[in-house]
Amino acid sequence: MTYTAPLKDMLFVIEELADVASISALPGFEDASLDIAQAVLDEAAKFNSEILAPLNAEGDKNPSEWHDGEVTTTPGFKEAFRQYGEGGWQGVVHLAEFGGQGLPKLIATPCIEMLNAANLSFALCPLLTDGAIEALLTAGSDELKQRYLPKLISGEWTGTMNLTEPQAGSDLALVRSRAQAQGDGTYKVFGTKIFITYGEHDMAENIVHLVLARTPDAPEGVKGISLFLVPKFLVNDDGSLGARNDVHCVSIEHKLGIKASPTAVLQYGDHGGALGYLIGEENRGVEYMFIMMNAARFAVGVQGIAVSDRAYQQAAAYAKDRVQSRPVDGSAKQSVAIIQHPDVRRMLATMRALTEGARALAYVAAAHSDIAHHAADADARARHAAIYEYLVPVVKGWSTEMSIDVTSLGVQVHGGMGFIEETGAAQHYRDARILTIYEGTTAIQANDLIGRKTIRDGGAAARAILAQIDETLVALERHDGAAFGAMHRRLMAGRAALANTVEFMLHNAKSDTKAVFAGGVAYLKLAGIVLSGWQMARALIAAHTKRADDPAFYETKIATAHFFADHLLPQAVALEASIVSAKGDQGVLALDEDQF
Amino acid sequence: MTYTAPLKDMLFVIEELADVASISALPGFEDASLDIAQAVLDEAAKFNSEILAPLNAEGDKNPSEWHDGEVTTTPGFKEAFRQYGEGGWQGVVHLAEFGGQGLPKLIATPCIEMLNAANLSFALCPLLTDGAIEALLTAGSDELKQRYLPKLISGEWTGTMNLTEPQAGSDLALVRSRAQAQGDGTYKVFGTKIFITYGEHDMAENIVHLVLARTPDAPEGVKGISLFLVPKFLVNDDGSLGARNDVHCVSIEHKLGIKASPTAVLQYGDHGGALGYLIGEENRGVEYMFIMMNAARFAVGVQGIAVSDRAYQQAAAYAKDRVQSRPVDGSAKQSVAIIQHPDVRRMLATMRALTEGARALAYVAAAHSDIAHHAADADARARHAAIYEYLVPVVKGWSTEMSIDVTSLGVQVHGGMGFIEETGAAQHYRDARILTIYEGTTAIQANDLIGRKTIRDGGAAARAILAQIDETLVALERHDGAAFGAMHRRLMAGRAALANTVEFMLHNAKSDTKAVFAGGVAYLKLAGIVLSGWQMARALIAAHTKRADDPAFYETKIATAHFFADHLLPQAVALEASIVSAKGDQGVLALDEDQF
């Protein structure tokens, strides 16, 4: 149950597919060369595999425990988090101005992948802290930034996102928590928040809660919600910690997975009101929250890739070790390692290809984000921002949906041993199951992909991506051989399925809204499989070109791309069929509520 | 978390698709009319939903516990098992000669479905007992039958299957347990068996272990394994219990799911040898075990259907109750029950359609089994036996694979609440995960489907089924309307995909064996989706014909079939593509062991 960071695979994507050279050509990223990336990744690999990976099973066996308002985390977590902060890992992407390293998202993303592969439950604490940092950077006053950012970026304090209430999950319009201005610029916050990841714990001196609440005269719905910073301990002007604030953890949840990550119910203001500070302007809280949400959604997508890779590594190791049954073709008289059996090979190849495809797509998306933020040219910034925005729900939705399948295959490869908890395969399966739910379910991602990312710009971002796929198709035609032939044929079919679906969405959004949204998750999966497949096609070309440099490595890349083309890309056409069939209130919507 | 048996749906399948009238026309089944089926199902529904369903969550919270060789089951299980026996439920299908009711498998199957939907962990005890009964009936001596069958059939004693050893999972050739003849017709059995379901428990006075072991001079491999009956307590000539036998439970497993079902490690012969009785002839143990295995495999398929239905019922109830977000088409200004949202509707429709399709296929298979055993005409028996044999790995493999997806959707419908254990949705997801593993993994089912069920008879059984699908296609053509049009188009494409795959298997089995087996699971899934879809097509025709009798019920059937055609059947074509692509050591087999 060790974890070995796939550094070579990561660097291949960074160099060949996400084009790190173009990122280090951007103003402010001059130092972000491939060598720097390699050095950072090497260090990250060391920390994550040595310190955090061994604590993963431990966290599952000895989860966080609540007692009398306090949460004790898994033994070892507190010390590991101290090392995480001291190593500067919380600050990898954040501004140097506040103590961060200011590295590109392209380099931070593999670090986040390793962190999550090593220990998904642990990684949630930094992930949420990143979100709080983003929101403060975007909308916080200078005073709030100066007071809170350095300690968050150094990993001394941690952050949380407080959206959900018992009656308000995906539907923020139903938020009821309230904030009362005190006349001195501060507020008193009251209400109950649930599902708050690391809402209480013992790993840091202070916890900075970002909380959605309504002021007394706010309009109804999502346009009347403001964002407040509510620290667990008040912070004095000299930066030292003051009084305990009136926010208390009344319980933590008993969950299917990510058990070491405490999921808190937080009670605000039961003893007079929790002191809070408005972030940005009143009634714009949901807008700010979406900024941190977008960053968090991308990171959750990376979690899907991470847990998939961890599950794959464990399954591959078991399959090489476990001896059982003779080969089906009679090529040996003795029982062989199960990796010799075609179906085990298929399962491992599926796990590997899905993980690599999703990884490539996420890193490429990260590079678009870097260009969107750093390009000198405003047009380039806008163009890359639009593509990144389109890809965020795909990375989130697709990488997490596929992680359920991949971790399930991980259990299956182990046979009966996979069902025994001590084996560890089941933990990945349980842990992965939250990923399609939190930070917006797959359906919410699909709604975002349709509404804000496809229809709002009239399909412009989608068509820009399709045009890039066409370039890859042209490049594929220049090569011969089975892998290129298969990839060209399947990617062309997949590209057509995606293009048809985009047009279907655009043409029917107003006239047949429900049918369009009924096809949303299928559209998201179709985009996920085709865009991952496209990255595998680019990997195929790059690997073919470099083959002679390192035949063993590049031939594996070629075979994996070939497998993706033959075995995974064909799903695109089935998905398109189910989307287009949804038209006219048939299929999904033909059954009324009372028919269920 | 209640369970309501879907009696109307079950009776629809029994009457319209599995043609109970033809079963009650068989010699020995004269009483097995639709009325009798209804009466039996009504009673089963009552017992299972009232007594067993409430114990399901309890079993997950308070699993079986091992202490000093003894296993204490979940509070309530022992009493429920007594009532199960007294109600005659263990004997539904078994011979009246030994105290059973002698009902057709077609009527027993919905009883088994209800039992498993109510309480999967509990149901495993009767399921394994059924297997032991089958094996004894097939190969046991009259003395063994007289001594053990009545108590097993009455539910006073229970049975187990002892195949697996630490080094011998799917690969029975590796079995090392040994049996030494004592010269008096009895044997002393020695060895360690693992993964023994209900291998030790407190629900019955005695446990009858059926154990695979080798005699000293037996040939190597699977042809040197014999089957022994080893009772926990020896049975005196008058039927009373004698001495405790030398078989002891040394531990039980800590599992992902089905926690109430004790999975035992059994140690045979550590104190001089466990007294055992040979069943049938020496060295034919694996053959006999396959008889009980075949019955058990069908039953595990039914478990998949059962847990899917339970998960569906829970998700549908939650979706009608949980209010969240406004409709996507702006048709209401207030938040609505989430069942109004298109993607929730899609998830519920998927769960429902998959479950109904798999149920119909399993019940139809059960009817084939009844005809295979009871038809007066030997040709008819052989014909139906071949079809039943073909369907067993499909029912087992497909119903269980789809149950993982269905129970996962059940979690997803619940959103964040689905991840909280108290909700109960996660239990179904965890419980279902064993189903694709035990009694032969999906790959083992696929190997059976290819080798023994498709290639051995030169595709005859497969083609007989394809010919029946053609009849359904002709019948579909006689009707107009969107549902019939969609079903005809998709079923025709699915039928072609299945036919092509069968031909691919037949033509390449010898020349490209590994490629054929690499496509095995895809073939099994393809068969599952097409044959389920075929049953949905038959349901569509039957429902259309009867529509006026009960519009609400039959229109739901029509809409569900329509959904299956548009949203699920298209997968067949993608599966075919991945199978045929496996040819020539490409794809799956292109990656060598050391490339993983």
Side-chain angles (χ1 to χ4, degrees):
Chain A
M1 285 190 271
T2 56
Y3 167 65
T4 307
L7 289 173
K8 216 166 160 179
D9 294 293
M10 289 171 157
L11 288 164
F12 171 78
V13 176
I14 289 171
E15 183 180 5
E16 302 291 342
L17 307 182
D19 192 13
V20 68
S22 73
I23 303 303
S24 57
L26 295 169
F29 284 155
E30 292 80 2
D31 296 338
S33 64
L34 183 63
D35 287 347
I36 291 292
Q38 178 146 16
V40 172
L41 267 57
D42 281 345
E43 280 304 304
K46 219 170 132 189
F47 176 76
N48 287 304
S49 41
E50 289 174 12
I51 308 294
L52 288 180
L55 289 172
N56 192 45
E58 187 61 26
D60 196 54
K61 274 192 292 252
N62 296 304
S64 284
E65 282 185 6
W66 180 94
H67 182 71
D68 207 13
E70 311 269 313
V71 171
T72 311
T73 52
T74 302
F77 269 40
K78 187 174 176 174
E79 171 58 17
F81 189 70
R82 194 187 56 74
Q83 292 178 260
Y84 182 81
E86 285 180 6
W89 297 112
Q90 186 73 56
V92 171
V93 274
H94 300 299
L95 293 181
E97 180 189 348
F98 297 106
Q101 301 186 41
L103 285 168
K105 194 177 183 83
L106 175 57
I107 298 180
T109 300
C111 296
I112 293 171
E113 183 190 326
M114 290 184 231
L115 175 68
N116 279 287
N119 199 319
L120 199 64
S121 281
F122 179 94
L124 280 161
C125 190
L127 190 156
L128 273 296
T129 301
D130 273 341
I133 292 168
E134 289 281 344
L136 272 173
L137 279 171
T138 307
S141 64
D142 282 343
E143 198 201 324
L144 286 178
K145 285 186 196 170
Q146 294 299 342
R147 192 165 292 207
Y148 291 94
L149 279 178
K151 296 277 194 176
L152 287 168
I153 289 175
S154 68
E156 287 165 275
W157 298 350
T158 69
T160 70
M161 289 167 67
N162 289 240
L163 289 78
T164 307
E165 301 179 5
Q167 78 295 345
S170 305
D171 189 358
L172 294 177
L174 301 178
V175 160
R176 281 193 210 136
S177 290
R178 58 199 175 81
Q180 185 83 47
Q182 300 299 296
D184 61 353
T186 69
Y187 291 76
K188 286 275 171 96
V189 177
F190 303 87
T192 303
K193 293 288 181 177
I194 64 168
F195 293 166
I196 308 308
T197 299
Y198 280 93
E200 176 58 35
H201 63 84
D202 59 359
M203 283 156 49
E205 291 168 11
N206 203 7
I207 303 174
V208 180
H209 303 292
L210 298 203
V211 187
L212 290 183
R214 292 181 188 284
T215 51
D217 303 320
E220 278 188 25
V222 291
K223 288 178 182 158
I225 299 174
S226 306
L227 182 62
F228 297 89
L229 184 156
V230 182
K232 177 178 171 186
F233 288 99
L234 301 181
V235 179
N236 299 321
D237 289 341
D238 65 357
S240 63
L241 294 184
R244 180 74 164 80
N245 206 350
D246 184 12
V247 46
H248 297 281
C249 174
V250 295
S251 63
I252 62 173
E253 306 292 350
H254 172 222
K255 308 190 300 294
L256 173 60
I258 52 164
K259 294 187 181 191
S261 162
T263 303
V265 177
L266 293 183
Q267 198 67 34
Y268 288 86
D270 271 9
H271 307 284
L275 196 64
Y277 310 93
L278 181 67
I279 295 179
E281 295 173 26
E282 248 182 68
N283 299 330
R284 292 182 63 186
V286 170
E287 181 188 324
Y288 305 143
M289 194 59 98
F290 264 97
I291 292 164
M292 60 193 284
M293 191 87 115
N294 231 22
R297 284 177 175 181
F298 179 84
V300 172
V302 175
Q303 292 193 304
I305 297 160
V307 73
S308 296
D309 191 41
R310 183 82 186 255
Y312 165 74
Q313 291 190 21
Q314 182 166 352
Y318 183 81
K320 290 175 184 182
D321 184 61
R322 171 77 171 171
V323 171
Q324 202 79 176
S325 300
R326 290 188 243 169
V328 286
D329 63 355
S331 57
K333 290 286 163 219
Q334 296 301 313
S335 299
V336 293
I338 61 171
I339 197 170
Q340 299 297 337
H341 299 312
D343 188 65
V344 173
R345 202 72 72 92
R346 174 193 65 85
M347 289 193 279
L348 292 173
T350 303
M351 296 172 78
R352 183 188 179 93
L354 284 170
T355 305
E356 288 198 4
R359 174 186 294 131
L361 187 61
Y363 290 15
V364 166
H368 283 293
S369 171
D370 286 326
I371 303 173
H373 284 97
H374 284 257
D377 174 42
D379 274 0
R381 286 202 302 274
R383 219 165 49 238
H384 287 274
I387 292 178
Y388 177 69
E389 290 296 322
Y390 183 92
L391 292 178
V392 167
V394 179
V395 167
K396 200 287 184 180
W398 170 250
S399 307
T400 61
E401 289 285 340
M402 75 89 193
S403 79
I404 295 178
D405 294 337
V406 168
T407 54
S408 182
L409 288 171
V411 171
Q412 190 74 14
V413 167
H414 285 81
M417 289 305 295
F419 202 66
I420 307 299
E421 285 288 3
E422 284 75 5
T423 306
Q427 184 189 348
H428 306 312
Y429 182 62
R430 290 187 286 97
D431 285 353
R433 193 62 194 80
I434 190 59
L435 303 180
T436 61
I437 296 172
Y438 65 18
E439 303 298 341
T441 63
T442 307
I444 303 270
Q445 305 305 318
N447 290 353
D448 181 45
L449 181 64
I450 295 173
R452 276 180 292 269
K453 309 300 170 63
T454 303
I455 293 170
R456 197 157 65 181
D457 70 358
R463 291 198 193 104
I465 293 170
L466 289 165
Q468 293 185 24
I469 298 178
D470 290 336
E471 288 174 28
T472 302
L473 285 166
V474 170
L476 287 170
E477 279 172 13
R478 292 194 203 106
H479 300 277
D480 294 324
F484 283 97
M487 182 58 90
H488 186 268
R489 190 167 65 253
R490 300 294 186 195
L491 182 59
M492 190 143 72
R495 187 250 181 243
L498 181 57
N500 293 343
T501 300
V502 168
E503 297 308 316
F504 174 82
M505 296 289 162
L506 290 168
H507 290 138
N508 295 285
K510 282 203 178 148
S511 56
D512 202 355
T513 311
K514 281 195 170 180
V516 160
F517 283 91
V521 168
Y523 170 34
L524 184 148
K525 288 185 176 175
L526 169 55
I529 202 113
V530 172
L531 300 182
S532 298
W534 167 43
Q535 296 309 322
M536 297 302 275
R538 298 181 62 223
L540 170 62
I541 296 168
H544 177 77
T545 310
K546 294 205 150 187
R547 193 175 203 150
D549 297 353
D550 184 350
F553 179 73
Y554 291 113
E555 280 164 19
T556 302
K557 286 272 166 271
I558 291 168
T560 306
H562 191 170
F563 177 86
F564 199 107
D566 276 343
H567 291 262
L568 301 171
L569 270 173
Q571 294 168 21
V573 176
L575 288 163
E576 183 202 350
S578 80
I579 294 164
V580 177
S581 301
K583 197 159 155 35
D585 271 17
Q586 298 190 350
V588 170
L589 303 163
L591 284 161
D592 285 335
E593 176 178 343
D594 56 7
Q595 290 181 294
F596 284 97
Chain B
M1 288 189 270
T2 56
Y3 167 65
T4 307
L7 289 172
K8 216 166 161 179
D9 294 293
M10 290 171 156
L11 289 164
F12 171 77
V13 176
I14 290 172
E15 184 180 5
E16 302 291 343
L17 307 183
D19 192 14
V20 69
S22 74
I23 303 303
S24 58
L26 295 169
F29 283 156
E30 292 80 2
D31 296 338
S33 63
L34 184 63
D35 287 347
I36 291 292
Q38 176 146 17
V40 172
L41 267 57
D42 281 345
E43 280 306 304
K46 217 171 135 188
F47 175 76
N48 288 304
S49 42
E50 289 174 11
I51 308 294
L52 287 180
L55 288 172
N56 193 45
E58 187 61 26
D60 196 55
K61 275 190 292 248
N62 296 305
S64 286
E65 282 185 8
W66 181 92
H67 183 70
D68 209 14
E70 311 268 313
V71 171
T72 310
T73 52
T74 302
F77 269 40
K78 187 174 176 174
E79 171 59 18
F81 189 70
R82 193 188 56 73
Q83 291 178 263
Y84 182 81
E86 285 181 6
W89 296 112
Q90 187 73 56
V92 170
V93 276
H94 300 298
L95 292 181
E97 181 189 350
F98 296 105
Q101 300 186 41
L103 285 168
K105 194 178 184 82
L106 176 56
I107 297 179
T109 299
C111 296
I112 292 171
E113 182 190 325
M114 289 184 233
L115 175 66
N116 280 287
N119 199 321
L120 198 65
S121 281
F122 179 95
L124 280 161
C125 190
L127 189 156
L128 273 295
T129 302
D130 272 339
I133 293 168
E134 290 282 342
L136 272 172
L137 279 171
T138 307
S141 65
D142 283 344
E143 200 201 323
L144 286 178
K145 285 186 195 169
Q146 294 300 340
R147 194 166 290 207
Y148 291 95
L149 280 178
K151 295 276 194 179
L152 287 169
I153 290 175
S154 68
E156 287 165 275
W157 298 350
T158 69
T160 70
M161 290 166 65
N162 290 240
L163 289 78
T164 307
E165 301 179 5
Q167 78 295 347
S170 305
D171 188 358
L172 294 176
L174 302 178
V175 160
R176 282 192 209 135
S177 291
R178 59 201 176 80
Q180 186 82 46
Q182 300 299 296
D184 60 353
T186 68
Y187 291 75
K188 287 273 170 99
V189 176
F190 305 86
T192 303
K193 293 287 182 179
I194 65 167
F195 294 166
I196 309 308
T197 299
Y198 280 94
E200 176 58 34
H201 63 84
D202 58 0
M203 283 157 49
E205 290 168 13
N206 203 5
I207 303 174
V208 180
H209 303 292
L210 299 203
V211 186
L212 290 183
R214 293 181 186 285
T215 52
D217 303 321
E220 278 188 26
V222 292
K223 286 174 183 163
I225 300 175
S226 305
L227 182 62
F228 297 90
L229 184 156
V230 182
K232 175 179 172 184
F233 289 98
L234 301 181
V235 179
N236 298 321
D237 288 342
D238 64 358
S240 63
L241 295 184
R244 181 72 165 81
N245 206 351
D246 185 12
V247 46
H248 297 281
C249 175
V250 295
S251 63
I252 62 173
E253 305 293 350
H254 171 221
K255 308 190 300 296
L256 173 60
I258 53 163
K259 295 188 180 190
S261 162
T263 303
V265 177
L266 293 183
Q267 198 68 34
Y268 288 86
D270 271 8
H271 309 283
L275 196 65
Y277 310 93
L278 181 68
I279 295 178
E281 295 172 29
E282 247 183 69
N283 299 331
R284 292 182 61 187
V286 170
E287 180 190 323
Y288 304 143
M289 195 58 99
F290 265 97
I291 292 163
M292 58 194 285
M293 191 87 114
N294 232 20
R297 285 176 174 182
F298 179 84
V300 172
V302 176
Q303 292 192 304
I305 297 160
V307 73
S308 296
D309 192 41
R310 183 83 186 256
Y312 165 74
Q313 291 189 20
Q314 182 167 351
Y318 184 80
K320 290 176 185 182
D321 184 60
R322 170 77 170 171
V323 171
Q324 200 79 174
S325 301
R326 290 188 241 170
V328 284
D329 62 355
S331 58
K333 290 286 162 218
Q334 296 301 313
S335 298
V336 294
I338 61 171
I339 196 170
Q340 298 298 338
H341 299 311
D343 188 66
V344 173
R345 201 73 71 91
R346 174 193 66 86
M347 290 194 278
L348 291 172
T350 303
M351 296 173 79
R352 182 189 181 93
L354 285 170
T355 306
E356 287 198 5
R359 176 186 292 132
L361 187 62
Y363 290 16
V364 165
H368 283 292
S369 170
D370 286 327
I371 302 172
H373 284 100
H374 284 257
D377 174 40
D379 276 358
R381 287 202 301 273
R383 218 166 48 239
H384 287 274
I387 292 177
Y388 176 69
E389 292 296 323
Y390 183 91
L391 293 178
V392 167
V394 179
V395 168
K396 200 286 185 182
W398 170 250
S399 307
T400 61
E401 288 284 341
M402 75 91 194
S403 78
I404 294 178
D405 293 336
V406 168
T407 54
S408 182
L409 288 172
V411 171
Q412 190 73 16
V413 168
H414 286 79
M417 290 305 295
F419 202 65
I420 306 299
E421 285 289 4
E422 284 74 6
T423 306
Q427 185 189 348
H428 306 312
Y429 183 61
R430 289 186 286 98
D431 285 352
R433 194 62 196 78
I434 190 59
L435 303 180
T436 60
I437 296 172
Y438 65 18
E439 303 298 340
T441 63
T442 307
I444 302 268
Q445 306 305 318
N447 290 353
D448 182 46
L449 181 65
I450 295 172
R452 277 182 291 270
K453 311 300 170 62
T454 302
I455 293 170
R456 195 158 69 185
D457 71 357
R463 290 199 194 104
I465 292 170
L466 289 165
Q468 292 186 24
I469 297 178
D470 290 335
E471 289 174 27
T472 303
L473 284 167
V474 170
L476 287 170
E477 280 171 11
R478 291 194 204 106
H479 300 278
D480 296 323
F484 282 97
M487 181 58 90
H488 186 268
R489 190 167 66 250
R490 300 292 185 195
L491 183 59
M492 189 141 71
R495 186 251 181 242
L498 181 58
N500 293 344
T501 300
V502 168
E503 296 309 315
F504 173 82
M505 297 287 162
L506 291 168
H507 289 138
N508 295 285
K510 283 203 179 146
S511 56
D512 201 354
T513 311
K514 281 195 170 181
V516 160
F517 284 91
V521 168
Y523 171 32
L524 184 149
K525 287 184 177 177
L526 170 56
I529 203 113
V530 172
L531 299 181
S532 297
W534 167 42
Q535 295 309 322
M536 296 303 274
R538 298 181 62 223
L540 170 63
I541 296 168
H544 178 78
T545 310
K546 293 204 151 186
R547 192 176 204 150
D549 296 354
D550 184 348
F553 178 74
Y554 291 112
E555 280 164 18
T556 302
K557 285 270 167 270
I558 291 168
T560 307
H562 190 171
F563 178 86
F564 199 107
D566 276 343
H567 292 262
L568 302 171
L569 270 173
Q571 293 168 21
V573 176
L575 289 163
E576 183 202 351
S578 81
I579 295 164
V580 177
S581 302
K583 197 159 155 33
D585 270 17
Q586 299 191 348
V588 170
L589 303 163
L591 285 162
D592 284 336
E593 176 178 344
D594 55 8
Q595 290 181 295
F596 284 97

